[in-house]
Amino acid sequence: MNPARSLCDAGWLKSGPAARVLALLSENGEEARIVGGAVRNALMGLPVGEIDVATTALPEEVMRRAAAARIKSIPTGIEHGTVTLVVEGRPFEVTTLREDIETFGRKARVAFGRDWARDAKRRDFTINGLSVESDGTVHDHVGGLDDIAAKRVRFIGDPDRRIAEDYLRILRFFRIHAAYGGGEPDRDSHLACIRGRAGLTTLSAERMRAEILKLLVAEGAVEALVAMEDGGLLLTILGGVAYRGPLAAMIVAERALELAPDPIRRLAALAVSVTEDARRVAQRLRLSNAEAKQLDSMGHRWWRLGSMDEATARRRIYRLGAPRFRDRLMQAWSRAGLGADPAPWLNVATLPQRWQPPAFPLKAEDFVGRGIAEGPALGHVLAIAEDAWLAEDFPLDSARLSAIADQTVARFTRDHRL
Protein backbone atom coordinates (compact mmCIF):
# COMPACT_ATOMS: atom_id res chain seq x y z
CA MET A 1 0.00 0.00 0.00
CA ASN A 2 1.35 3.41 -0.96
CA PRO A 3 1.69 5.95 1.85
CA ALA A 4 -0.71 8.88 2.02
CA ARG A 5 0.26 12.13 0.32
CA SER A 6 -2.12 14.23 2.41
CA LEU A 7 -3.06 14.29 6.08
CA CYS A 8 -6.50 15.84 5.73
CA ASP A 9 -7.97 12.99 7.83
CA ALA A 10 -5.49 13.36 10.71
CA GLY A 11 -7.63 14.21 13.72
CA TRP A 12 -4.66 15.35 15.82
CA LEU A 13 -4.20 18.26 13.39
CA LYS A 14 -7.80 19.40 13.92
CA SER A 15 -8.03 19.23 17.70
CA GLY A 16 -5.84 18.64 20.72
CA PRO A 17 -2.49 20.09 21.83
CA ALA A 18 -0.83 20.15 18.37
CA ALA A 19 -3.82 21.90 16.84
CA ARG A 20 -3.70 24.52 19.63
CA VAL A 21 -0.04 25.28 18.90
CA LEU A 22 -0.67 25.61 15.16
CA ALA A 23 -3.66 27.89 15.73
CA LEU A 24 -1.71 30.06 18.17
CA LEU A 25 1.14 30.63 15.71
CA SER A 26 -0.86 30.84 12.47
CA GLU A 27 -2.61 34.19 12.81
CA ASN A 28 -1.86 37.86 12.39
CA GLY A 29 0.49 37.33 9.45
CA GLU A 30 2.42 34.37 10.82
CA GLU A 31 2.31 30.71 9.84
CA ALA A 32 3.15 27.46 11.59
CA ARG A 33 3.41 23.88 10.35
CA ILE A 34 4.29 20.49 11.77
CA VAL A 35 7.66 19.39 10.38
CA GLY A 36 10.02 16.43 10.35
CA GLY A 37 9.50 12.95 11.76
CA ALA A 38 5.89 13.42 12.84
CA VAL A 39 4.89 14.20 9.23
CA ARG A 40 6.91 11.28 7.89
CA ASN A 41 5.40 8.80 10.35
CA ALA A 42 1.86 10.03 9.83
CA LEU A 43 2.20 9.67 6.06
CA MET A 44 3.54 6.14 6.49
CA GLY A 45 0.75 5.15 8.87
CA LEU A 46 3.17 4.80 11.79
CA PRO A 47 2.73 6.08 15.37
CA VAL A 48 3.45 9.78 15.74
CA GLY A 49 5.75 10.48 18.68
CA GLU A 50 7.39 13.82 19.28
CA ILE A 51 5.87 16.67 17.28
CA ASP A 52 8.10 19.51 16.11
CA VAL A 53 6.73 22.80 14.83
CA ALA A 54 8.29 25.38 12.52
CA THR A 55 7.00 28.92 12.32
CA THR A 56 7.63 32.24 10.66
CA ALA A 57 7.20 33.95 14.03
CA LEU A 58 10.35 35.02 15.83
CA PRO A 59 11.15 33.32 19.17
CA GLU A 60 10.18 36.39 21.19
CA GLU A 61 6.80 36.49 19.44
CA VAL A 62 6.28 32.77 20.08
CA MET A 63 6.87 33.33 23.80
CA ARG A 64 4.66 36.44 23.86
CA ARG A 65 1.76 34.58 22.27
CA ALA A 66 2.25 31.62 24.59
CA ALA A 67 2.14 33.89 27.65
CA ALA A 68 -1.04 35.55 26.39
CA ALA A 69 -2.64 32.11 25.95
CA ARG A 70 -1.37 30.97 29.38
CA ILE A 71 0.81 28.32 27.79
CA LYS A 72 4.14 27.54 29.43
CA SER A 73 7.17 28.38 27.29
CA ILE A 74 10.79 27.39 27.84
CA PRO A 75 13.65 29.05 25.89
CA THR A 76 15.41 25.71 25.33
CA GLY A 77 17.46 26.91 22.37
CA ILE A 78 16.37 30.46 21.83
CA GLU A 79 19.72 31.48 20.32
CA HIS A 80 18.97 28.99 17.55
CA GLY A 81 15.32 29.99 17.34
CA THR A 82 13.87 27.16 19.42
CA VAL A 83 11.27 27.53 22.16
CA THR A 84 9.50 24.62 23.86
CA LEU A 85 5.78 25.06 24.49
CA VAL A 86 4.06 22.77 26.98
CA VAL A 87 0.41 22.23 26.14
CA GLU A 88 -1.73 19.90 28.24
CA GLY A 89 1.46 18.39 29.65
CA ARG A 90 2.93 17.68 26.22
CA PRO A 91 6.10 19.46 24.99
CA PHE A 92 6.37 20.90 21.47
CA GLU A 93 9.65 22.22 20.10
CA VAL A 94 8.86 25.34 18.09
CA THR A 95 11.63 26.66 15.84
CA THR A 96 11.65 29.79 13.73
CA LEU A 97 12.41 29.22 10.03
CA ARG A 98 16.09 29.58 9.17
CA GLU A 99 18.12 30.10 6.04
CA ASP A 100 21.81 30.24 5.13
CA ILE A 101 22.85 33.74 4.21
CA GLU A 102 26.54 32.93 3.78
CA THR A 103 28.33 29.60 3.54
CA PHE A 104 32.04 28.93 3.94
CA GLY A 105 33.45 25.43 4.11
CA ARG A 106 31.67 23.37 6.73
CA LYS A 107 29.97 26.34 8.36
CA ALA A 108 27.23 28.76 7.50
CA ARG A 109 25.96 32.06 8.82
CA VAL A 110 22.29 31.58 9.55
CA ALA A 111 19.45 34.06 9.89
CA PHE A 112 15.80 33.67 10.72
CA GLY A 113 13.68 33.64 7.59
CA ARG A 114 10.19 33.24 6.17
CA ASP A 115 10.91 30.93 3.23
CA TRP A 116 9.63 27.41 3.81
CA ALA A 117 11.51 25.94 0.85
CA ARG A 118 14.86 27.31 1.98
CA ASP A 119 14.26 26.05 5.50
CA ALA A 120 13.40 22.56 4.20
CA LYS A 121 16.57 22.42 2.13
CA ARG A 122 18.68 22.92 5.28
CA ARG A 123 17.40 19.66 6.80
CA ASP A 124 19.11 16.26 6.64
CA PHE A 125 17.01 13.73 4.69
CA THR A 126 14.25 14.20 2.14
CA ILE A 127 11.73 12.16 4.14
CA ASN A 128 12.36 14.50 7.10
CA GLY A 129 12.00 17.65 4.99
CA LEU A 130 8.20 17.63 4.73
CA SER A 131 5.80 19.97 6.49
CA VAL A 132 2.04 19.95 7.00
CA GLU A 133 -0.52 22.67 7.70
CA SER A 134 -3.41 22.30 10.13
CA ASP A 135 -5.78 21.41 7.25
CA GLY A 136 -3.60 18.43 6.33
CA THR A 137 -1.94 19.97 3.27
CA VAL A 138 1.55 18.48 2.92
CA HIS A 139 4.33 20.61 1.47
CA ASP A 140 7.27 18.90 -0.21
CA HIS A 141 10.18 21.02 -1.45
CA VAL A 142 12.79 18.24 -1.50
CA GLY A 143 11.22 15.12 -3.05
CA GLY A 144 10.38 13.50 0.25
CA LEU A 145 6.97 12.16 -0.80
CA ASP A 146 8.43 10.13 -3.66
CA ASP A 147 11.19 8.84 -1.39
CA ILE A 148 8.66 7.75 1.24
CA ALA A 149 6.76 5.87 -1.47
CA ALA A 150 10.02 4.22 -2.60
CA LYS A 151 11.22 3.58 1.00
CA ARG A 152 14.38 5.46 0.07
CA VAL A 153 16.45 7.45 2.54
CA ARG A 154 18.74 10.05 1.00
CA PHE A 155 20.33 13.32 1.93
CA ILE A 156 18.89 16.63 0.81
CA GLY A 157 21.20 18.25 -1.71
CA ASP A 158 24.93 17.43 -1.62
CA PRO A 159 25.39 14.50 0.80
CA ASP A 160 29.05 15.37 1.48
CA ARG A 161 28.06 18.85 2.55
CA ARG A 162 25.19 17.60 4.73
CA ILE A 163 27.57 15.19 6.47
CA ALA A 164 30.30 17.80 6.95
CA GLU A 165 27.74 20.00 8.74
CA ASP A 166 27.34 17.29 11.38
CA TYR A 167 29.10 13.92 11.22
CA LEU A 168 26.39 12.40 13.40
CA ARG A 169 24.33 12.37 10.20
CA ILE A 170 26.35 9.33 9.11
CA LEU A 171 24.85 7.32 11.96
CA ARG A 172 21.47 8.94 11.47
CA PHE A 173 21.50 7.89 7.82
CA PHE A 174 21.88 4.22 8.69
CA ARG A 175 19.47 4.45 11.61
CA ILE A 176 16.76 6.14 9.53
CA HIS A 177 17.35 3.66 6.70
CA ALA A 178 17.02 0.76 9.16
CA ALA A 179 13.72 2.14 10.45
CA TYR A 180 12.09 3.49 7.29
CA GLY A 181 14.08 2.36 4.26
CA GLY A 182 13.91 -0.74 2.13
CA GLY A 183 16.49 -2.68 0.14
CA GLU A 184 20.02 -1.40 -0.30
CA PRO A 185 20.91 2.03 1.11
CA ASP A 186 20.86 4.92 -1.35
CA ARG A 187 24.17 4.61 -3.19
CA ASP A 188 25.18 8.29 -3.28
CA SER A 189 24.34 8.74 0.40
CA HIS A 190 26.10 5.51 1.38
CA LEU A 191 29.29 6.44 -0.46
CA ALA A 192 29.28 9.89 1.11
CA CYS A 193 29.06 8.28 4.55
CA ILE A 194 32.09 6.14 3.74
CA ARG A 195 34.02 9.16 2.50
CA GLY A 196 33.20 11.04 5.68
CA ARG A 197 33.79 8.22 8.16
CA ALA A 198 36.91 9.83 9.65
CA GLY A 199 34.61 12.50 11.04
CA LEU A 200 33.04 9.97 13.39
CA THR A 201 36.07 10.34 15.65
CA THR A 202 35.01 13.93 16.37
CA LEU A 203 31.66 12.89 17.85
CA SER A 204 31.01 12.57 21.55
CA ALA A 205 30.39 9.08 22.93
CA GLU A 206 26.98 10.18 24.20
CA ARG A 207 25.77 11.23 20.75
CA MET A 208 27.00 8.01 19.17
CA ARG A 209 25.40 5.94 21.91
CA ALA A 210 21.96 7.45 21.31
CA GLU A 211 22.04 6.72 17.58
CA ILE A 212 23.54 3.23 17.83
CA LEU A 213 21.05 2.05 20.44
CA LYS A 214 18.15 3.34 18.35
CA LEU A 215 19.58 1.70 15.23
CA LEU A 216 19.95 -1.67 16.95
CA VAL A 217 16.22 -1.98 17.64
CA ALA A 218 15.07 -0.81 14.20
CA GLU A 219 13.38 -3.27 11.86
CA GLY A 220 16.22 -3.30 9.36
CA ALA A 221 19.07 -3.23 11.90
CA VAL A 222 21.00 -6.22 10.53
CA GLU A 223 21.05 -5.00 6.93
CA ALA A 224 22.02 -1.47 7.97
CA LEU A 225 24.83 -2.68 10.22
CA VAL A 226 26.15 -4.98 7.47
CA ALA A 227 26.30 -1.95 5.17
CA MET A 228 28.12 0.00 7.88
CA GLU A 229 30.64 -2.78 8.40
CA ASP A 230 31.22 -3.13 4.67
CA GLY A 231 31.97 0.59 4.58
CA GLY A 232 34.50 0.39 7.42
CA LEU A 233 32.33 2.32 9.85
CA LEU A 234 31.73 -0.14 12.67
CA LEU A 235 35.40 -0.56 13.57
CA THR A 236 35.62 3.19 14.22
CA ILE A 237 32.55 3.05 16.47
CA LEU A 238 33.03 -0.23 18.32
CA GLY A 239 36.82 -0.49 18.25
CA GLY A 240 36.70 -4.22 17.59
CA VAL A 241 35.18 -7.08 15.61
CA ALA A 242 31.51 -6.98 14.64
CA TYR A 243 29.63 -10.29 14.61
CA ARG A 244 26.93 -10.17 11.94
CA GLY A 245 25.67 -13.74 12.34
CA PRO A 246 25.15 -13.64 16.11
CA LEU A 247 23.22 -10.36 15.81
CA ALA A 248 20.84 -11.91 13.29
CA ALA A 249 20.51 -15.00 15.49
CA MET A 250 19.83 -12.84 18.57
CA ILE A 251 16.95 -11.13 16.79
CA VAL A 252 15.51 -14.54 15.88
CA ALA A 253 15.85 -15.64 19.52
CA GLU A 254 14.09 -12.49 20.77
CA ARG A 255 11.19 -13.13 18.42
CA ALA A 256 11.00 -16.81 19.38
CA LEU A 257 10.71 -15.78 23.03
CA GLU A 258 8.29 -12.95 22.15
CA LEU A 259 10.58 -10.39 23.76
CA ALA A 260 10.68 -6.72 22.86
CA PRO A 261 13.87 -5.70 21.04
CA ASP A 262 16.56 -4.83 23.57
CA PRO A 263 19.43 -2.62 22.33
CA ILE A 264 21.99 -3.81 24.90
CA ARG A 265 21.18 -7.46 24.29
CA ARG A 266 21.64 -6.88 20.56
CA LEU A 267 24.81 -4.86 21.15
CA ALA A 268 26.25 -7.82 23.07
CA ALA A 269 25.49 -10.15 20.18
CA LEU A 270 27.07 -7.71 17.72
CA ALA A 271 30.21 -6.73 19.59
CA VAL A 272 30.90 -8.83 22.69
CA SER A 273 32.67 -12.17 22.85
CA VAL A 274 34.41 -11.76 26.22
CA THR A 275 34.10 -9.31 29.11
CA GLU A 276 37.03 -7.26 27.80
CA ASP A 277 34.93 -6.50 24.71
CA ALA A 278 32.02 -5.43 26.92
CA ARG A 279 34.18 -3.00 28.87
CA ARG A 280 35.68 -1.51 25.73
CA VAL A 281 32.30 -1.00 24.07
CA ALA A 282 30.74 0.39 27.25
CA GLN A 283 33.51 2.98 27.47
CA ARG A 284 33.45 3.91 23.78
CA LEU A 285 29.68 4.48 23.84
CA ARG A 286 29.58 5.84 27.41
CA LEU A 287 26.88 3.42 28.44
CA SER A 288 25.03 3.91 31.71
CA ASN A 289 26.09 1.83 34.70
CA ALA A 290 23.08 -0.47 34.29
CA GLU A 291 23.74 -0.90 30.57
CA ALA A 292 27.43 -1.62 31.16
CA LYS A 293 26.60 -4.24 33.81
CA GLN A 294 24.14 -5.97 31.47
CA LEU A 295 26.70 -6.01 28.67
CA ASP A 296 29.46 -7.26 30.97
CA SER A 297 27.26 -10.06 32.31
CA MET A 298 26.45 -11.23 28.79
CA GLY A 299 30.14 -11.44 27.96
CA HIS A 300 31.01 -13.47 31.06
CA ARG A 301 31.47 -17.16 30.28
CA TRP A 302 28.35 -17.37 28.16
CA TRP A 303 29.78 -20.49 26.53
CA ARG A 304 29.16 -22.42 29.75
CA LEU A 305 25.43 -22.12 29.09
CA GLY A 306 25.67 -23.80 25.71
CA SER A 307 24.43 -27.20 26.87
CA MET A 308 22.70 -27.62 30.21
CA ASP A 309 20.24 -29.94 31.83
CA GLU A 310 17.47 -28.33 33.85
CA ALA A 311 19.21 -28.96 37.17
CA THR A 312 22.23 -26.95 36.04
CA ALA A 313 19.96 -24.27 34.60
CA ARG A 314 18.16 -23.93 37.92
CA ARG A 315 21.48 -23.32 39.68
CA ARG A 316 22.38 -20.65 37.12
CA ILE A 317 19.01 -18.95 37.58
CA TYR A 318 19.57 -18.94 41.34
CA ARG A 319 23.04 -17.40 41.01
CA LEU A 320 22.34 -14.91 38.23
CA GLY A 321 18.69 -14.02 38.63
CA ALA A 322 16.19 -14.67 35.85
CA PRO A 323 16.90 -11.58 33.66
CA ARG A 324 20.70 -12.05 33.57
CA PHE A 325 20.33 -15.80 33.13
CA ARG A 326 18.06 -15.28 30.13
CA ASP A 327 20.30 -12.65 28.54
CA ARG A 328 23.47 -14.73 28.98
CA LEU A 329 21.70 -17.83 27.66
CA MET A 330 20.54 -15.84 24.63
CA GLN A 331 24.14 -14.76 24.06
CA ALA A 332 25.13 -18.43 23.89
CA TRP A 333 22.12 -19.12 21.66
CA SER A 334 23.14 -16.34 19.27
CA ARG A 335 26.65 -17.83 19.00
CA ALA A 336 25.12 -21.19 18.03
CA GLY A 337 24.01 -19.55 14.78
CA LEU A 338 20.84 -19.28 12.75
CA GLY A 339 20.92 -22.98 11.93
CA ALA A 340 20.69 -24.12 15.55
CA ASP A 341 17.64 -26.13 16.61
CA PRO A 342 15.61 -23.62 18.69
CA ALA A 343 13.71 -26.23 20.73
CA PRO A 344 16.34 -26.94 23.45
CA TRP A 345 17.20 -23.26 23.74
CA LEU A 346 13.53 -22.32 24.12
CA ASN A 347 13.02 -24.98 26.76
CA VAL A 348 15.85 -23.67 28.95
CA ALA A 349 15.18 -19.98 28.25
CA THR A 350 11.56 -20.31 29.41
CA LEU A 351 12.48 -22.23 32.60
CA PRO A 352 12.14 -19.07 34.79
CA GLN A 353 8.48 -18.94 33.74
CA ARG A 354 7.93 -22.45 35.13
CA TRP A 355 10.24 -22.41 38.16
CA GLN A 356 11.15 -19.81 40.77
CA PRO A 357 14.24 -20.40 42.95
CA PRO A 358 13.53 -20.75 46.69
CA ALA A 359 15.48 -18.75 49.25
CA PHE A 360 18.41 -20.52 50.89
CA PRO A 361 16.76 -21.97 54.01
CA LEU A 362 19.78 -22.45 56.31
CA LYS A 363 20.64 -19.53 58.58
CA ALA A 364 23.59 -18.42 60.68
CA GLU A 365 22.03 -19.78 63.85
CA ASP A 366 21.96 -23.28 62.32
CA PHE A 367 25.77 -23.22 62.36
CA VAL A 368 26.36 -21.24 65.54
CA GLY A 369 24.40 -23.99 67.30
CA ARG A 370 26.82 -26.48 65.78
CA GLY A 371 29.85 -24.74 67.23
CA ILE A 372 30.85 -22.30 64.47
CA ALA A 373 31.85 -18.93 65.91
CA GLU A 374 30.44 -15.73 64.49
CA GLY A 375 32.79 -13.91 62.13
CA PRO A 376 34.55 -14.73 58.83
CA ALA A 377 34.41 -18.46 59.51
CA LEU A 378 30.63 -18.36 59.75
CA GLY A 379 30.34 -16.65 56.37
CA HIS A 380 32.62 -19.25 54.84
CA VAL A 381 30.56 -22.09 56.27
CA LEU A 382 27.33 -20.59 54.98
CA ALA A 383 28.83 -20.35 51.47
CA ILE A 384 29.93 -24.01 51.57
CA ALA A 385 26.47 -25.06 52.77
CA GLU A 386 24.77 -23.06 50.04
CA ASP A 387 26.92 -24.76 47.37
CA ALA A 388 25.98 -28.17 48.82
CA TRP A 389 22.30 -27.21 48.87
CA LEU A 390 22.45 -26.19 45.21
CA ALA A 391 24.27 -29.39 44.27
CA GLU A 392 21.42 -31.38 45.79
CA ASP A 393 18.85 -29.41 43.76
CA PHE A 394 17.33 -27.12 46.41
CA PRO A 395 15.98 -29.57 49.03
CA LEU A 396 13.65 -28.04 51.62
CA ASP A 397 12.85 -30.95 53.95
CA SER A 398 14.27 -30.57 57.44
CA ALA A 399 16.07 -33.92 57.50
CA ARG A 400 18.01 -33.17 54.34
CA LEU A 401 18.82 -29.63 55.48
CA SER A 402 20.07 -30.92 58.83
CA ALA A 403 22.30 -33.42 57.05
CA ILE A 404 23.74 -30.65 54.80
CA ALA A 405 24.48 -28.54 57.89
CA ASP A 406 26.18 -31.43 59.70
CA GLN A 407 28.25 -32.39 56.65
CA THR A 408 29.30 -28.78 56.09
CA VAL A 409 30.47 -28.32 59.67
CA ALA A 410 32.34 -31.63 59.56
CA ARG A 411 34.06 -30.66 56.33
CA PHE A 412 34.97 -27.20 57.59
CA THR A 413 36.32 -28.59 60.90
CA ARG A 414 38.35 -31.24 59.09
CA ASP A 415 39.83 -28.78 56.58
CA HIS A 416 40.80 -26.28 59.26
CA ARG A 417 42.32 -28.94 61.52
CA LEU A 418 44.81 -29.90 58.79
Side-chain angles (χ1 to χ4, degrees):
M1 181 183 294
N2 289 329
R5 300 179 76 90
S6 169
L7 293 176
C8 58
D9 296 327
W12 55 274
L13 285 171
K14 307 295 190 300
S15 63
R20 283 185 64 189
V21 173
L22 291 179
L24 178 72
L25 301 175
S26 294
E27 58 185 11
N28 298 326
E30 304 295 356
E31 183 181 4
R33 301 178 190 172
I34 306 295
V35 296
V39 184
R40 174 200 66 217
N41 282 22
L43 290 167
M44 298 180 76
L46 300 173
V48 174
E50 295 180 358
I51 296 178
D52 294 330
V53 178
T55 180
T56 56
L58 294 174
E60 295 77 9
E61 176 65 11
V62 172
M63 297 183 72
R64 187 194 68 77
R65 293 190 183 195
R70 297 184 178 179
I71 291 174
K72 181 180 180 180
S73 64
I74 307 167
T76 45
I78 198 166
E79 68 277 10
H80 303 296
T82 300
V83 174
T84 298
L85 302 186
V86 182
V87 181
E88 298 176 23
R90 182 168 183 177
F92 295 84
E93 275 200 358
V94 178
T95 303
T96 303
L97 296 186
R98 292 172 293 180
E99 58 187 57
D100 296 337
I101 58 174
E102 182 182 1
T103 59
F104 38 96
R106 297 180 179 180
K107 299 181 180 179
R109 191 155 60 92
V110 178
F112 297 136
R114 302 183 66 84
D115 188 323
W116 289 94
R118 293 180 73 175
D119 182 83
K121 290 173 182 176
R122 296 189 70 256
R123 299 180 182 272
D124 50 9
F125 308 111
T126 60
I127 64 173
N128 292 343
L130 305 168
S131 60
V132 63
E133 297 182 50
S134 59
D135 65 0
T137 300
V138 175
H139 296 269
D140 180 11
H141 304 286
V142 293
L145 287 170
D146 288 341
D147 284 341
I148 285 177
K151 291 189 173 181
R152 179 173 54 237
V153 179
R154 63 185 179 92
F155 287 99
I156 294 171
D158 178 3
D160 292 295
R161 177 180 171 184
R162 292 278 85 85
I163 289 169
E165 291 167 350
D166 184 354
Y167 287 106
L168 190 69
R169 285 175 172 168
I170 294 174
L171 301 186
R172 282 179 53 79
F173 169 74
F174 290 102
R175 194 255 294 178
I176 297 293
H177 175 76
Y180 304 103
E184 297 290 326
D186 175 69
R187 179 175 173 77
D188 289 343
S189 299
H190 189 187
L191 291 175
C193 289
I194 295 172
R195 288 192 295 270
R197 64 190 177 191
L200 291 172
T201 60
T202 67
L203 299 175
S204 71
E206 291 83 359
R207 296 184 80 201
M208 287 199 293
R209 169 195 172 276
E211 289 297 328
I212 289 296
L213 296 189
K214 288 178 183 178
L215 191 163
L216 281 164
V217 297
E219 184 67 26
V222 172
E223 294 79 4
L225 287 161
V226 166
M228 291 176 71
E229 186 186 18
D230 289 345
L233 302 170
L234 283 187
L235 183 61
T236 301
I237 297 165
L238 302 175
V241 175
Y243 303 96
R244 304 180 182 190
L247 173 61
M250 178 64 80
I251 293 171
V252 170
E254 282 183 335
R255 290 170 179 167
L257 290 167
E258 299 182 350
L259 296 175
D262 183 282
I264 301 301
R265 193 188 296 133
R266 293 186 177 190
L267 181 61
L270 175 68
V272 174
S273 181
V274 293
T275 52
E276 288 80 1
D277 294 333
R279 291 161 192 164
R280 182 194 70 247
V281 172
Q283 183 176 20
R284 292 179 75 91
L285 295 180
R286 203 69 59 82
L287 299 181
S288 70
N289 289 339
E291 291 165 344
K293 287 179 180 178
Q294 181 184 357
L295 201 69
D296 188 76
S297 177
M298 291 184 69
H300 185 73
R301 298 182 180 179
W302 52 264
W303 51 88
R304 296 177 64 181
L305 278 64
S307 58
M308 290 184 296
D309 55 24
E310 286 204 6
T312 303
R314 284 193 288 270
R315 291 195 292 272
R316 299 292 186 203
I317 293 169
Y318 178 85
R319 291 297 193 191
L320 295 172
R324 285 195 175 184
F325 168 80
R326 183 196 60 203
D327 283 350
R328 195 178 296 181
L329 179 73
M330 291 176 70
Q331 181 78 336
W333 185 354
S334 76
R335 288 304 192 275
L338 290 170
D341 179 6
W345 294 102
L346 281 168
N347 181 61
V348 178
T350 55
L351 180 58
Q353 300 170 23
R354 306 188 301 273
W355 178 82
Q356 301 295 318
F360 180 45
L362 292 172
K363 307 298 181 185
E365 54 264 30
D366 295 316
F367 297 96
V368 172
R370 286 173 167 83
I372 303 297
E374 294 186 10
L378 180 58
H380 185 51
V381 166
L382 280 167
I384 295 172
E386 187 177 29
D387 287 343
W389 179 68
L390 293 177
E392 294 199 23
D393 204 19
F394 308 91
L396 297 176
D397 62 283
S398 57
R400 198 66 218 111
L401 292 172
S402 181
I404 289 173
D406 289 341
Q407 291 163 9
T408 299
V409 170
R411 175 184 168 185
F412 178 80
T413 302
R414 183 189 67 242
D415 290 347
H416 285 75
R417 187 181 298 133
L418 297 176

